[in-house]
Amino acid sequence: MQRIVVLAGGIGGARFLRGLKSAVPDAEITVIGNTGDDIHLFGLKVCPDLDTVMYTLGGGIHEEQGWGRSDESFAVKEELAAYGVGPEWFGLGDRDFATHIVRTQMIGAGYPLSAVTEALCDRWQPGVRLLPMTDDRVETHVLVDDADGGGRKAVHFQEYWVRLRASVPAHAIIPVGAEEAKPAPGVLEALAAADVVLFPPSNPVVSVGTILAVPGVREAVAASKAPVVGLSPIVGDAPVRGMADKVLAAVGVESTAAAVARHYGPDLIDGWLVDTVDAGAVPDVEAAGIRCRAVPLMMTDVDATARMAAEALALAEEVRA
Ligand code: GDP
Ligand code: CA
């Protein structure tokens, strides 16, 4: 059985995984999920990227939105607002609240996040093994200008992304706690046993980059004997959705498919897929020592996404040969 390991963020990662499962239904897929977006709200631990993967693969996702639950209502949030309790800018629905309550209760009882995630997945049956990158607390912060001091201040990634809509310049992206974090149980083992490692079209800085920032993970990917293939989240010099260009700028990387490939570099990835509109970038990427192909990369539906996954696996076989 083919063992595939995927380093995934939220929406891009989850949608890709749905296509991958459809392309290779018999493969054993392990997902290493980003937890740098995690945030504590109303006393609850919220793991947006893990939940997006779990809900998407488990059939509970709000399809159009790409995050949160389907058939959602917001009574709890409205009641909290009536007490003047926010933040009002973070969307947490009633159904979603239950997930965060269960998670927080289990963590309070002493279970590590990896065990909690497994318990939540018992309900959702995502058809993949979903591992948080770490059981330790890591929270991505963004360094922005401080309107009142004239200096700079760090804000939580969710505040930068959701409240500010990435509309102010980001000077640095800091995965707070990453340096002291340990990979969650199973993460390094899965990478060591992988036949193929994939980077889905997830955010290269605040999703895949944060997972790679957990000590030992980047080294394990780089040392892997399995081919490592990525799919560009940048199409036609812009993110397909979201504001990945803003966080790429913060780390000095241009928003092009080729620049993202070079940012990962040939020590980390062996192959890279760009969209057909970026076919002109193929020679640039290959000159950097990374095998590159141009194929359609728009995840318009599960079939189109399954074809992308099949192309990624085909490129992996090509670099293995
Ligand atoms: P987040 O945690 O919800 O931001 O999700 P990810 O980090 O997994 O993915 C976000 C990235 O997915 C963004 O940079 C988008 O540009 C990219 N993305 C979303 N939809 C598509 C698509 O259909 N095709 C490609 N190539 N990239 C996509
Ligand atoms: Ca995310």
Side-chain angles (χ1 to χ4, degrees):
M1 199 198 306
Q2 195 178 25
R3 282 167 298 194
I4 305 174
V5 175
V6 182
L7 273 53
I11 300 177
R15 290 191 172 159
F16 175 75
L17 284 162
R18 194 153 59 176
L20 179 66
K21 275 177 62 186
S22 156
V24 282
D26 297 329
E28 183 187 298
I29 302 170
T30 300
V31 179
I32 303 175
N34 173 40
T35 58
D37 292 14
D38 292 6
I39 184 166
H40 288 78
L41 293 171
F42 314 110
L44 301 175
K45 181 171 174 69
V46 180
C47 300
D49 284 0
L50 293 180
D51 289 348
T52 295
V53 170
M54 185 173 79
Y55 294 155
T56 301
L57 300 184
I61 199 76
H62 186 301
E63 284 293 340
E64 297 72 45
Q65 199 168 254
W67 55 269
R69 289 292 315 278
S70 51
D71 301 317
E72 192 55 290
S73 54
F74 290 88
V76 174
K77 200 181 168 197
E78 283 159 23
E79 290 295 314
L80 287 163
Y83 285 110
V85 174
E88 79 298 328
W89 47 265
F90 199 86
L92 280 186
D94 300 331
R95 292 178 187 278
D96 202 16
F97 258 111
T99 303
H100 313 314
I101 291 169
V102 174
R103 174 185 293 122
T104 307
Q105 200 169 30
M106 285 188 73
I107 286 176
Y111 290 94
L113 182 61
S114 49
V116 175
T117 304
E118 195 179 334
L120 295 171
C121 285
D122 265 349
R123 171 183 174 194
W124 290 102
Q125 296 292 315
V128 300
R129 182 156 171 248
L130 177 60
L131 303 175
M133 64 189 198
T134 180
D135 280 335
D136 300 320
R137 185 164 168 172
V138 175
E139 275 185 13
T140 302
H141 283 68
V142 181
L143 196 63
V144 298
D145 292 322
D146 188 354
D148 336 295
R152 287 176 176 178
K153 63 173 180 182
V155 297
H156 190 287
F157 172 73
Q158 298 296 355
E159 185 170 355
Y160 169 76
W161 200 252
V162 180
R163 185 173 80 83
L164 300 169
R165 306 299 305 159
S167 60
V168 299
H171 302 294
I173 313 290
I174 311 139
V176 178
E179 277 174 34
E180 296 80 38
K182 290 178 300 300
V187 165
L188 296 182
E189 293 81 353
L191 285 168
D195 297 311
V196 179
V197 178
L198 299 177
F199 293 2
S202 277
N203 192 304
V205 182
V206 294
S207 294
V208 179
T210 308
I211 301 169
L212 293 170
V214 176
V217 174
R218 174 183 292 274
E219 294 75 6
V221 174
S224 173
K225 283 188 277 296
V228 181
V229 171
L231 298 93
S232 180
I234 303 293
V235 171
D237 301 343
V240 175
R241 59 180 279 167
M243 295 104 24
D245 49 325
K246 300 294 182 358
V247 288
L248 281 165
V251 298
V253 177
E254 257 184 272
S255 276
T256 66
V260 174
R262 283 192 301 267
H263 171 64
Y264 286 133
D267 291 345
L268 206 58
I269 58 171
D270 305 297
W272 185 244
L273 292 179
V274 301
D275 189 80
T276 45
V277 303
D278 296 312
V282 171
D284 283 8
V285 176
E286 298 224 312
I290 298 163
R291 195 79 66 91
C292 186
R293 296 286 174 268
V295 299
L297 286 190
M298 299 303 281
M299 299 190 282
T300 42
D301 56 31
V302 176
D303 287 343
T305 311
R307 285 192 289 276
M308 288 167 51
E311 291 285 0
L313 294 173
L315 184 57
E317 288 320 305
E318 205 183 311
V319 297
R320 194 201 306 278

